[in-house]
Amino acid sequence: DGGITQSPKYLFRKEGQNVTLSCEQNLNHDAMYWYRQDPGQGLRLIYYSQIVNDFQKGDIAEGYSVSREKKESFPLTVTSAQKNPTAFYLCASSIAGETQYFGPGTRLLVL
Amino acid sequence: AQSVTQLDSHVSVSEGTPVLLRCNYSSSYSPSLFWYVQHPNKGLQLLLKYTSAATLVKGINGFEAEFKKSETSFHLTKPSAHMSDAAEYFCVVSEGYQKVTFGTGTKLQVIP
């Protein structure tokens, strides 16, 4: 089945710790995206990547980092510099800038 | 600059009655418009999209939306609500890669 997978479903972060969220797609899409979702605020773009080895900051990139070494994978690292990381994180992919298809999400909680 | 406004944060309907979720947008260009649905703790699922073809767009699960350029609206409707429709709905406007704006969402409650 084609689709987008995110892991883990839940992730716990200790203060000062970096954590990495996984996103994999087998849709052969060139573009991939990371969003943060907070209650009542819709989705906000963290980073996006149009092609392998290239990525751009979105609206709220501070405290986050990404890599795009393979077309299928776009991991997101939440660094210790992100002071309010508790949120639901959604990964998406698309052909060029067209319709985005979303993964099931990862909920990040702070211990 | 583009923007999208979902006019109701919560909508409550009885099962079997019509659903109307309202969305207004602004855009400098001819945007693509989308509606997504999100069930609790799940990802977003595409309901339908408008890309300058027919102004009445049919989607999955009996939903449809009408693009009205003069009113800059893209309201989502369904003739008869089902309990499984209870979820949060997002209106989205897109002009390309970084120019994607999500509305703040409308939570639909369906009363048995």
Side-chain angles (χ1 to χ4, degrees), chain B residues 3 7 21 30 57 64 96:
Chain B
S3 67
L7 297 165
L21 305 183
S30 296
V57 183
E64 61 182 35

Side-chain angles (χ1 to χ4, degrees), chain A residues 19-40:
Chain A
V19 293
T20 298
L21 285 62
S22 169
C23 177
E24 304 276 334
Q25 56 98 0
N26 60 5
L27 300 169
N28 201 32
H29 287 173
D30 289 308
M32 298 186 74
Y33 312 78
W34 273 106
Y35 292 93
R36 171 179 172 140
Q37 185 177 26
D38 296 280

